């Protein structure tokens, strides 16, 4: 019988509980014991664990968040951190660890693996910025939430003839902005990968006004910045244990610029943590479940140092190095599709369209 530890690290996201449930249920075929490590790597430093049984994961599939808690703790931040992790793994008799997380959590998993600890990874993040996998779970739920918000903002923007700037998460990748912007029919999408020219943005918005469309929706990723600016806008200077600052605030700066340059009433909606909360979509539940089952198979085959991954419609595994070596930024073919819609939309047929409808 094996004893497996499972933890969730970094920002929470919908689908974490679905992975935990799948890990527990899939391990039952081998009679393994699953130990929940509380609050990410912090639980291995503090020795804070809980037994996870068939009963304890019952009913958690549709639940957002994580029943074992999470944190942004980095055990390699202080020299004692790793020692405590190693001692507790021995003390609890863990044969392997399933680390569910994004690049920070999985970079710790990789370091532990390099120090001889049997670890496998499961890719999580609403940002979809992890390499080695086509998609992470949590992303589909986030884009569904943002798309619904953009739909709702359309009706109020149109009624008041306003520009509404919607700021979304994603850190240094514009996946959430691009995909939900296309799905929601945004009139401008600004992402970290492509620094923006404010004059060009206003030109596109003006074109809509000139064609009689007296409102616009601008989606901006929190990590977007104007051409020439070296720094992204942050909420404060504080850094987490992995050295990240909290992004956010570009929406307000952008809205001010648009209002001043265009003289059109402009409002800002910052969607924030709403994008990460609540129940996962069916797509994320399925992906998370497949990932959890595949993680148990990796352990069964003693394929440590790997992360389960989605390639096309198949679940495979890739080395953890591949997942954390570089940020997966937005596919430019996709972003170029979104650009075809910028500055478009009119309230009347064009002259040639009118002639055409008279003829037929
Ligand atoms: O990585 C997920 C994410 O939601 C980012 O999109 C965002 O920048 C960050 O986490 C917010 O972190 P926190 O949970 O510290 O507010």
């Amino acid at each position: 019988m094996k004893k497996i530890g499972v933890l969730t690290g970094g920002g929470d996201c919908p689908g974490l509980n679905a992975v935990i449930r799948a890990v527990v249920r899939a391990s039952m075929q081998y009679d393994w014991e699953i130990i929940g490590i509380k609050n990410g790597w912090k639980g291995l430093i503090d020795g804070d664990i809980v037994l996870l049984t068939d009963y304890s994961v019952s009913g958690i599939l549709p639940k957002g968040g994580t029943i074992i808690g999470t944190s942004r703790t980095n055990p390699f931040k202080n020299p004692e951190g790793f020692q405590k992790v190693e001692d507790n793994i021995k003390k609890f008799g863990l044969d392997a660890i399933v680390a569910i997380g994004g690049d920070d959590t999985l970079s710790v998993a990789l370091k532990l693996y390099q120090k001889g600890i049997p670890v496998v990874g499961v890719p999580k993040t609403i940002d979809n910025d992890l390499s080695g996998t086509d998609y992470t779970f949590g992303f589909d739920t986030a884009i569904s939430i943002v798309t619904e918000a953009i739909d709702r903002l359309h009706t109020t923007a149109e009624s008041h003839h306003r520009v509404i700037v919607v700021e979304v998460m994603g850190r240094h990748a514009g996946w959430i902005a691009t995909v939900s912007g296309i799905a929601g029919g945004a009139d401008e999408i600004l992402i970290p990968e492509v620094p923006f020219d404010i004059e060009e943005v206003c030109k596109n918005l003006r074109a809509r006004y000139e064609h009689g469309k007296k409102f616009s929706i601008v989606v901006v990723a929190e990590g977007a910045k104007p051409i020439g600016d070296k720094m992204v806008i942050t909420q404060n200077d504080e850094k987490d244990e992995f050295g990240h600052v909290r992004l956010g605030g570009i929406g307000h700066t952008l809205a001010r610029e648009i209002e001043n340059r265009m003289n059109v009433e402009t409002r800002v909606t910052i969607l924030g943590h709403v994008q990460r909360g609540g129940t996962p979509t069916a797509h994320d539940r399925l992906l998370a479940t497949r990932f959890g089952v595949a993680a148990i198979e990796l352990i069964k085959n003693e394929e440590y140092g790997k992360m389960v991954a989605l390639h096309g419609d198949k679940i495979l595994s890739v080395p953890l190095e591949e997942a954390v070596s570089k940020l997966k930024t937005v596919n430019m073919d996709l972003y170029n599709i979104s650009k075809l819609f910028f500055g478009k939309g009119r309230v009347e047929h064009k002259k040639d369209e009118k002639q055409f409808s008279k003829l037929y």
Side-chain angles (χ1 to χ4, degrees):
M1 192 186 85
K2 279 191 197 291
K3 217 177 184 187
I4 313 295
V6 59
L7 63 84
T8 53
D12 72 327
C13 94
L16 287 168
N17 286 327
V19 182
I20 296 169
R21 171 179 171 272
V23 163
V24 171
R25 295 259 160 97
S27 71
M28 286 169 66
Q29 61 188 313
Y30 305 122
D31 260 337
W32 295 348
E33 192 170 79
I34 303 293
I35 305 294
I37 297 161
K38 291 179 116 184
N39 307 317
W41 297 116
K42 187 170 187 299
L44 270 186
I45 295 174
D46 299 348
D48 194 2
I49 57 168
V50 59
L51 179 66
L52 293 177
T53 62
D54 189 18
Y55 173 74
S56 45
V57 298
S58 188
I60 67 170
L61 175 64
K63 221 176 155 233
T66 159
I67 58 161
I68 49 179
T70 187
S71 72
R72 295 193 190 275
T73 304
N74 181 359
F76 290 98
K77 180 89 181 138
N78 321 299
E80 320 87 69
F82 169 66
Q83 199 48 56
K84 285 187 182 156
V85 166
E86 205 177 28
D87 292 349
N88 279 324
I89 289 173
K90 276 203 195 106
K91 181 170 144 199
F92 300 137
L94 299 179
D95 296 297
I97 293 171
V98 178
I100 312 169
D103 53 347
D104 295 334
T105 305
L106 297 182
S107 64
V108 171
L110 174 61
K111 280 192 193 158
L112 293 178
Y113 169 68
Q114 286 163 342
K115 288 183 177 289
I117 294 171
V119 190
V120 299
V122 176
K124 154 256 62 153
T125 167
I126 63 162
D127 302 341
N128 196 39
D129 59 355
L130 259 181
S131 291
T133 183
D134 292 353
Y135 289 100
T136 52
F137 73 85
F139 175 62
D140 186 67
T141 308
I143 57 171
S144 305
I145 294 166
V146 176
T147 303
E148 196 202 326
I150 296 172
D151 287 348
R152 290 178 183 279
L153 291 169
H154 261 97
T155 60
T156 168
E158 184 163 16
S159 305
H160 286 268
H161 321 295
R162 285 171 173 161
V163 172
I164 296 193
V165 174
V166 192
E167 183 182 304
V168 301
M169 283 185 169
R171 278 228 170 119
H172 302 292
W175 286 103
I176 297 178
T178 305
V179 176
S180 50
I182 294 174
D187 304 301
E188 193 72 40
I189 301 170
L190 307 175
I191 60 172
E193 292 85 344
V194 184
F196 62 89
D197 174 352
I198 184 68
E199 214 14 79
E200 188 67 25
V201 173
C202 292
K203 196 174 116 203
N204 287 337
L205 302 182
R206 272 189 213 107
R208 283 174 54 79
Y209 275 77
E210 279 153 20
H211 297 147
K213 283 278 187 191
K214 304 245 178 283
F215 74 98
S216 291
I217 302 288
V218 177
V219 175
V220 61
E222 60 183 359
K225 54 181 186 311
I227 291 172
D229 271 23
K230 290 216 168 51
M231 306 284 283
V232 285
I233 296 184
T234 59
Q235 296 191 30
N236 52 41
D237 294 338
E238 257 173 60
K239 288 192 175 152
D240 69 16
E241 292 195 3
F242 290 90
H244 303 302
V245 283
R246 283 173 63 203
L247 302 184
I250 180 69
H252 286 290
T253 313
L254 185 66
R256 255 194 317 273
E257 279 292 325
I258 292 173
E259 195 161 62
N260 289 344
R261 285 167 190 254
M262 292 185 52
N263 201 21
V264 172
E265 227 187 341
T266 304
R267 294 286 189 270
V268 185
T269 297
I270 298 180
L271 291 176
H273 294 80
V274 165
Q275 295 163 91
R276 282 196 345 213
T279 188
T281 58
H283 175 94
D284 274 339
R285 293 181 200 190
L286 178 65
L287 184 59
T289 300
R290 293 177 78 196
F291 278 163
V293 170
I296 288 298
E297 284 314 293
L298 281 185
I299 295 175
K300 176 78 184 151
N301 300 329
E302 303 198 336
E303 289 186 57
Y304 300 119
K306 293 197 170 168
M307 176 188 87
V308 295
L310 180 72
H311 287 189
D313 61 359
K314 292 203 167 42
I315 304 289
L316 310 170
S317 65
V318 295
L320 279 168
E321 278 108 333
E322 190 180 325
V324 301
S325 57
K326 69 172 176 22
L327 193 75
K328 188 180 75 187
T329 52
V330 166
N331 173 332
M332 279 303 130
D333 291 341
L334 196 62
Y335 186 67
N336 288 337
I337 289 178
S338 78
K339 282 166 66 181
L340 298 174
F341 297 85
F342 296 174
K344 301 291 191 308
R346 35 179 85 235
V347 286
E348 270 201 328
H349 287 304
K350 278 203 264 182
K351 214 168 81 213
D352 49 351
E353 285 169 348
K354 280 184 192 153
Q355 274 163 356
F356 182 83
S357 53
K358 263 189 218 146
L359 283 173
Y360 299 98

